[in-house]
Amino acid sequence: LPAHPPSYPVEGRRDHLFKMFRPEMVAQSVQPINADCFTAFAGTRAKQDNEDCRNLFNLLRKNVIAKLASFLDLHADSDPELDFTLTRQMHRHGVNLRFLGMIGRHCNSPRLKKVVVGEMAARCIKTDLRKRWRKLLRSGQSTRSDILRAIVDIFNDSLRKGDESTAFWGVDGTIGKLMHAKFAGSGPLQGGYPTWRGACDLEFVVRRLCEMCHLELEGNVIELYRNRGSIVAADIKGYSERIKTTEVMPRNCFNAIQLVCDSFQVTDVVTKKQMLVQARDDFERVLALQPNSPNVLSLAGDACLMLAPLFLFFEARQTLEKAEDYYRKCLCLRPQWKEILHRLGDVHCEQAKYTRVPETSQRMRVRAGTRYLQALCFEWELNYAIRQQKTHRLDHLLQLPKGDIAAISIATSSFTQFESIDFSTTSEISAGGIRRSLGKRSVLTHMDASGCVNFKDSVLSYVTSRAHRTLTSLNISRCNALGVEGMSALSRNCEKLRTLVLDHSIGIEDTGLRAAFASLTALTHLSMRGLPRVTNHSVIFVGKYVRQLEYLDTSESTQVSGTVLNEVAQNCMSFRVAKMDGCYTVDDVPCITLGRANVTLEEISLQGCVRLTSLAVKGLGKCKKISSLNLAGCIRIDDMAINMLSERHAFPQLMYLDLTGCDLLTSESVLTLLHLKPWLKKLLLGRVTQMSDLVVNRVGKVCRQLEELSLDSCIGVTRDGAKLVAAQCTKLTYLSLANCPLVEDSVLETLAVKCRSLVKLDLSGCRQITDEALIGLMRKNTSLTNLHLYGCPKIGNGTLEALAQSCPLLKTLELSISSTVNDHGLMKLVTGCPLLQELHVTNCPVVSNDIKDLIHNQLPWIKAHF
């Protein structure tokens, strides 16, 4: 973690080397914070990194602490558990406990000030107690009576009055000095009291001290001191040692760990072998009880790796295989554990020594090299400090024999000449990291840098200049830093580029694109979704120069009109796919031009093009190869357009049809379409409110090949019609019966029997369905990934438990307006569905705030809405 900036002038102190930021605070930073700020090895961007770190520290001191104090002030009088939750609230907001003094200075509530001063006092007393313990250990006094004596002394010093109390609690006393050293800004909290004792609650201080030092008392210490005048050792019921390794390592591993440590000091081979064998057996006994403990697995692998050189040939090979098995299990539990990857590479190097076949030995060494490189890549991508360095040194390889170093060089030459690079899942990778990935002699053909925040014009210029001979596919979507210079680099260097994706790169504008399209004449795939600054002035060059274009997507680029599609239709004879969703200026003319001039069109999507009429459908009818047609949201499409779709010679290969939101359609025209096009695989009729039960029955009787069907808000859907669809359309993977109020449990029972390939299911607004029917459906459709149950009040924990048991691939769940869903069901769901990404549980009054906080804090990859 990065440390706080240094405070000058204080000679001899290096607080910035050990006073770290909280991880919650680092997560609030807009800029990545280098963990090596203000050091001699901070990297090439030391000045900028130091400035970012200081800005984050100023944000903590001036904004975060003040806001947290105001929040605590607001709830100080109404929160009965403030004494116990203060430290947790500070950590949740990213504030270190060393800023307790500043929290107290910003607060106004007397109760909150008492709690803050009490917490500081308890921590100062704890520091003094541990200091006394360490002094006893250094002098050799480590018996139980010595430790109890130190505890008794600290209690007596805390509870005494008079001059002795001033010596302990005063400004120049033990607690006063610790307060000044540990908690900056704590001086004004003393108020008008002569010592710190009067400013805090002694009962709270004693309770917190016992909690932090794990002390057990016979009774109330303050009452005992008041009655007797002192505390004695008999009043201390017990204490626990400060060794907390039990949280990380099982206690029954301690003897085995001690044996491994002692074996390093043993020179006798037989004795060392016996100690390691006993340690390995102990680890295996622990693994029989806790098979999924990564720390024990790594220790067992270490013991086997140390044992291998002490055995003969065959026993050594078996021991190495066992070590490899343990390390692989570790990687299954923690995939990016760099140390285990290094040790697994060491295992492969040892295995290479124990093989008699030269080819196998070379393969093992190459495998070791890949493990070392894999660990290096994890370190390269995830560590902010290392990724800023210009070079990466493999110092651990210097300990290998010459043959192993040769194997590493073989692996390096094989694994750095990348033909395909995908950075789409590592958006934080630096510009230097992207440059280094090309290697010395680039053979790159495909690069996906979508979402990379550091992919700027200079990086694109470097990539295109190094890979201009081989690069054929480039995805730079959501790279908002790109601009005119980057597009100019494309026009200069990428004449062989065939695929270009620019989606949502909002910095791109017409100026650079004109020259790019004039040069990229080999393009076959072009996607420009969501580019608000791009207009017809540049995209019109696509039709003029890019004559081999097969795929064009300008969806959501609202300033691009149908003129572009008209130009492409006339000049690109191989044009197959057109997508202009959301381009509301597109009218009938480009569709008519496509029908006249283009015979290769296979897919067209015009969702939300509100100016389209039946003439557009008539014009597209001449394209005999169209298999997919999307007219969702085209509100002027009426029965005449459907009648043109239904003609015998029009759209003979149509398989995917989307008519969502075309509310002018009637049942009669759709019935004719279904009769003449029974081979449809996708039919979406959502929000076409005039559909009657006759259409639903015809779908069930005729369209046996349907894979996707939407009848969302079709109020004519009845129970019998829905059951017929469920019984006959057995190949369905997507089904939407949302807002069909007549759908009930019998429909789901039929679905459970007949449809066992469902992946997405939407039953929102079906108020009559219950848990029993859904449970049976879940058990038969184990590949379900999306389930929508908004507005189903009878659904409860039974459905959540069935999802957890039967649907491990679930990614999205929407379950709202339910009074029976509670914390137990949600815990079952999030633990049983490891791939869950979106969770909507709104208007469920029984769900507590605790489970909401738990999901938000412990499962951050789930986009939860409560």
Side-chain angles (χ1 to χ4, degrees):
L1 289 172
H4 290 173
S7 55
Y8 298 107
V10 180
E11 295 184 2
R13 295 193 62 179
R14 295 293 182 266
D15 293 354
H16 62 288
L17 297 180
F18 57 86
K19 289 187 176 181
M20 307 294 180
F21 282 102
R22 293 283 307 174
E24 297 87 353
M25 191 64 211
V26 177
Q28 298 180 34
S29 175
V30 178
Q31 301 293 334
I33 306 300
N34 188 351
D36 294 330
C37 287
F38 300 100
T39 63
F41 44 88
T44 57
R45 296 178 65 252
K47 184 176 180 180
Q48 183 62 40
D49 290 341
N50 294 347
E51 183 180 353
D52 293 340
C53 183
R54 198 173 290 279
N55 291 337
L56 182 63
F57 184 66
N58 292 335
L59 175 69
L60 171 65
R61 295 193 61 179
K62 297 178 181 179
N63 294 5
V64 176
I65 291 177
K67 290 181 180 179
L68 175 59
S70 301
F71 174 80
L72 294 173
D73 257 343
L74 185 64
H75 298 85
D77 297 329
S78 60
D79 187 2
E81 297 184 353
L82 179 65
D83 303 352
F84 306 99
T85 61
L86 175 62
T87 56
R88 188 163 67 247
Q89 290 284 356
M90 291 181 65
H91 287 166
R92 184 177 298 174
H93 287 78
V95 181
N96 305 82
L97 291 179
R98 71 176 71 97
F99 296 110
L100 272 168
M102 299 182 67
I103 292 288
R105 290 179 61 181
H106 282 86
C107 65
N108 298 316
S109 171
R111 177 171 179 253
L112 179 58
K113 286 190 175 183
K114 280 276 187 182
V115 173
V116 170
V117 175
E119 183 71 28
M120 292 192 300
R123 291 185 175 274
C124 290
I125 296 174
K126 178 194 71 171
T127 302
D128 187 30
L129 175 60
R130 290 180 174 174
K131 181 179 179 180
R132 298 185 187 195
W133 279 348
R134 287 192 293 269
K135 185 176 180 180
L136 289 174
L137 290 173
R138 283 195 294 267
S139 62
Q141 303 175 17
S142 59
T143 62
R144 176 180 173 82
S145 59
D146 296 328
I147 295 175
L148 289 177
R149 187 175 70 252
I151 298 173
V152 168
D153 291 343
I154 204 76
F155 276 120
N156 287 328
D157 291 343
S158 303
L159 299 175
R160 286 192 183 101
K161 297 181 181 180
D163 295 337
E164 295 179 349
S165 175
T166 304
F168 185 77
W169 287 97
V171 176
D172 297 327
T174 303
I175 300 301
K177 292 179 180 179
L178 287 173
M179 284 279 195
H180 178 72
K182 291 174 65 69
F183 304 105
S186 60
L189 296 180
Q190 188 175 347
Y193 297 98
T195 63
W196 282 100
R197 176 173 176 169
C200 61
D201 183 0
L202 276 181
E203 291 188 2
F204 172 72
V205 172
V206 170
R207 185 172 73 249
R208 286 293 293 140
L209 178 64
C210 294
E211 291 174 358
M212 290 186 289
C213 296
H214 306 286
L215 304 178
E216 297 181 17
L217 307 177
E218 288 290 349
N220 190 329
V221 175
I222 298 178
E223 291 293 333
L224 293 173
Y225 185 85
R226 187 180 296 121
N227 296 333
R228 191 188 303 147
S230 64
I231 302 298
V232 296
D235 297 330
I236 311 300
K237 186 178 179 181
Y239 66 94
S240 62
E241 298 178 357
R242 293 187 59 241
I243 299 176
K244 298 183 179 180
T245 54
T246 53
E247 299 179 3
V248 179
M249 195 71 61
R251 185 171 289 274
N252 45 8
C253 285
F254 287 174
N255 293 333
I257 295 172
Q258 189 63 43
L259 284 171
V260 174
C261 295
D262 293 342
S263 66
F264 287 104
Q265 303 176 2
V266 176
T267 56
D268 183 47
V269 176
V270 177
T271 306
K272 186 173 185 177
K273 179 179 176 181
Q274 292 175 351
M275 295 172 68
L276 291 175
V277 168
Q278 184 178 348
R280 181 195 62 184
D281 295 341
D282 290 345
F283 289 135
E284 290 177 349
R285 279 193 290 271
V286 176
L287 285 174
L289 302 175
Q290 301 180 19
N292 294 327
S293 175
N295 294 311
V296 182
L297 285 168
S298 66
L299 287 172
D302 293 343
C304 293
L305 182 59
M306 294 172 63
L307 265 175
L310 305 179
F311 283 133
L312 296 179
F313 185 82
F314 291 105
E315 287 184 279
R317 289 178 59 173
Q318 293 176 358
T319 306
L320 288 173
E321 289 176 0
K322 190 175 292 187
E324 181 181 4
D325 183 54
Y326 287 138
Y327 288 144
R328 287 183 181 276
K329 288 180 179 179
C330 277
L331 293 177
C332 291
L333 298 170
R334 294 183 184 174
Q336 297 186 356
W337 197 346
K338 295 180 293 185
E339 290 77 9
I340 297 301
L341 286 168
H342 286 307
R343 294 176 196 169
L344 192 54
D346 295 339
V347 169
H348 293 321
C349 290
E350 291 293 326
Q351 288 175 333
K353 299 176 184 177
Y354 289 96
T355 181
R356 298 172 178 175
V357 182
E359 292 79 4
T360 305
S361 177
Q362 183 180 6
R363 188 169 64 250
M364 285 295 177
R365 287 172 174 157
V366 171
R367 188 179 296 177
T370 60
R371 291 298 182 186
Y372 293 132
L373 290 171
Q374 188 178 1
L376 176 64
C377 286
F378 287 141
E379 186 176 7
W380 178 18
E381 293 178 358
L382 301 179
N383 190 310
Y384 285 126
I386 292 182
R387 76 174 188 180
Q388 299 294 339
Q389 305 299 319
K390 293 183 178 180
T391 59
H392 294 284
R393 295 176 298 174
L394 300 178
D395 295 335
H396 56 276
L397 298 183
L398 300 179
Q399 302 175 3
L400 297 176
K402 294 182 179 180
D404 294 333
I405 294 179
I408 298 303
S409 65
I410 295 172
T412 305
S413 62
S414 301
F415 286 91
T416 56
Q417 301 299 322
F418 299 110
E419 294 183 2
S420 177
I421 297 178
D422 187 352
F423 288 130
S424 58
T425 58
T426 54
S427 60
E428 297 292 331
I429 187 168
S430 67
I434 298 173
R435 291 189 182 98
R436 287 192 298 274
S437 66
L438 298 182
K440 295 182 179 179
R441 184 179 178 184
S442 177
V443 294
L444 185 67
T445 59
H446 169 78
M447 186 171 198
D448 187 350
S450 56
C452 293
V453 295
N454 295 313
F455 201 92
K456 304 177 182 179
D457 290 338
S458 58
V459 179
L460 181 58
S461 301
Y462 181 86
V463 171
T464 53
S465 62
R466 293 296 304 277
H468 66 279
R469 295 186 181 89
T470 56
L471 189 65
T472 60
S473 177
L474 180 62
N475 185 346
I476 47 177
S477 57
R478 303 193 310 280
C479 296
N480 298 332
L482 290 176
V484 177
E485 295 181 4
M487 296 300 103
S488 300
L490 278 179
S491 64
R492 293 193 303 268
N493 303 319
C494 294
E495 296 178 356
K496 296 183 179 180
L497 197 66
R498 298 180 61 84
T499 300
L500 178 61
V501 182
L502 304 173
D503 299 345
H504 305 287
S505 297
I506 58 178
I508 296 176
E509 53 188 27
D510 289 336
T511 306
L513 281 180
R514 293 193 194 99
F517 292 144
S519 302
L520 303 177
T521 56
L523 276 179
T524 59
H525 181 113
L526 177 61
S527 180
M528 298 187 298
R529 299 176 65 94
L531 302 181
R533 300 182 182 181
V534 175
T535 66
N536 288 347
H537 296 297
S538 60
V539 187
I540 200 73
F541 280 66
V542 174
K544 292 181 179 180
Y545 296 102
V546 189
R547 300 299 180 91
Q548 302 179 28
L549 192 68
E550 298 178 4
Y551 180 102
L552 176 64
D553 187 355
T554 60
S555 302
E556 303 173 24
S557 297
T558 54
Q559 298 193 54
V560 178
S561 67
T563 307
V564 174
L565 190 58
N566 199 28
E567 189 74 21
V568 171
Q570 296 180 36
N571 297 314
C572 302
M573 296 297 102
S574 302
F575 193 53
R576 296 186 300 106
V577 180
K579 294 184 179 181
M580 300 191 74
D581 300 340
C583 298
Y584 55 85
T585 58
V586 176
D587 53 14
D588 297 335
V589 176
C591 297
I592 296 173
T593 306
L594 277 172
R596 290 177 180 175
N598 195 287
V599 296
T600 59
L601 191 66
E602 298 177 3
E603 179 182 349
I604 184 167
S605 179
L606 300 169
Q607 180 177 345
C609 298
V610 294
R611 295 188 178 184
L612 293 181
T613 66
S614 56
L615 294 177
V617 179
K618 183 178 180 180
L620 291 172
K622 299 179 181 179
C623 301
K624 305 299 182 182
K625 294 185 178 181
I626 289 183
S627 60
S628 176
L629 179 61
N630 184 357
L631 298 173
C634 300
I635 57 177
R636 296 187 181 184
I637 297 296
D638 54 9
D639 286 346
M640 186 179 297
I642 302 302
N643 292 332
M644 294 175 182
L645 276 173
S646 305
E647 293 180 0
R648 290 186 178 276
H649 301 292
F651 303 98
Q653 299 183 20
L654 186 65
M655 301 177 67
Y656 304 96
L657 180 61
D658 189 350
L659 298 172
T660 303
C662 299
D663 204 30
L664 297 179
L665 302 181
T666 62
S667 298
E668 290 74 14
S669 60
V670 178
L671 285 171
T672 306
L673 173 67
L674 295 176
H675 178 71
L676 296 175
K677 299 285 190 297
W679 57 79
L680 288 175
K681 290 186 177 181
K682 176 180 178 180
L683 179 61
L684 304 183
L685 297 172
R687 300 191 301 279
V688 184
T689 57
Q690 299 186 52
M691 293 299 101
S692 66
D693 198 35
L694 295 174
V695 175
V696 182
N697 291 331
R698 180 65 59 88
V699 170
K701 292 178 181 178
V702 177
C703 301
R704 304 292 181 87
Q705 304 298 320
L706 272 180
E707 297 176 0
E708 299 183 29
L709 175 63
S710 174
L711 298 172
D712 182 4
S713 303
C714 296
I715 57 177
V717 177
T718 62
R719 179 192 60 185
D720 296 334
K723 288 178 66 176
L724 182 61
V725 169
Q728 300 297 330
C729 302
T730 58
K731 296 182 179 181
L732 285 175
T733 58
Y734 167 74
L735 176 62
S736 175
L737 296 173
N739 301 313
C740 297
L742 300 181
V743 173
E744 57 183 29
D745 285 353
S746 58
V747 178
L748 302 188
E749 293 171 358
T750 307
L751 274 175
V753 175
K754 298 294 184 178
C755 298
R756 301 193 177 187
S757 303
L758 284 175
V759 177
K760 299 180 181 180
L761 180 62
D762 190 351
L763 298 172
S764 301
C766 300
R767 303 179 64 85
Q768 300 185 39
I769 60 176
T770 61
D771 274 339
E772 290 75 11
L774 264 178
I775 290 172
L777 180 62
M778 299 302 107
R779 290 174 178 172
K780 297 297 177 63
N781 290 272
T782 57
S783 57
L784 199 68
T785 61
N786 295 65
L787 180 61
H788 302 270
L789 299 171
Y790 183 86
C792 300
K794 297 182 180 180
I795 300 302
N797 287 340
T799 298
L800 300 183
E801 294 179 5
L803 285 170
Q805 295 174 1
S806 306
C807 302
L809 303 179
L810 189 70
K811 295 181 180 179
T812 302
L813 175 64
E814 185 179 277
L815 177 63
S816 303
I817 313 179
S818 174
S819 59
T820 55
V821 172
N822 58 25
D823 296 357
H824 177 74
L826 285 178
M827 284 301 298
K828 286 279 188 180
L829 175 73
V830 297
T831 54
C833 301
L835 302 181
L836 192 65
Q837 297 175 358
E838 292 189 28
L839 177 62
H840 298 257
V841 188
T842 55
N843 297 322
C844 296
V846 186
V847 177
S848 68
N849 292 329
D850 292 337
I851 191 67
K852 297 177 183 178
D853 293 340
L854 178 66
I855 293 176
H856 280 305
N857 297 330
Q858 302 295 331
L859 306 172
W861 59 87
I862 299 179
K863 296 180 181 178
H865 304 272
F866 296 101

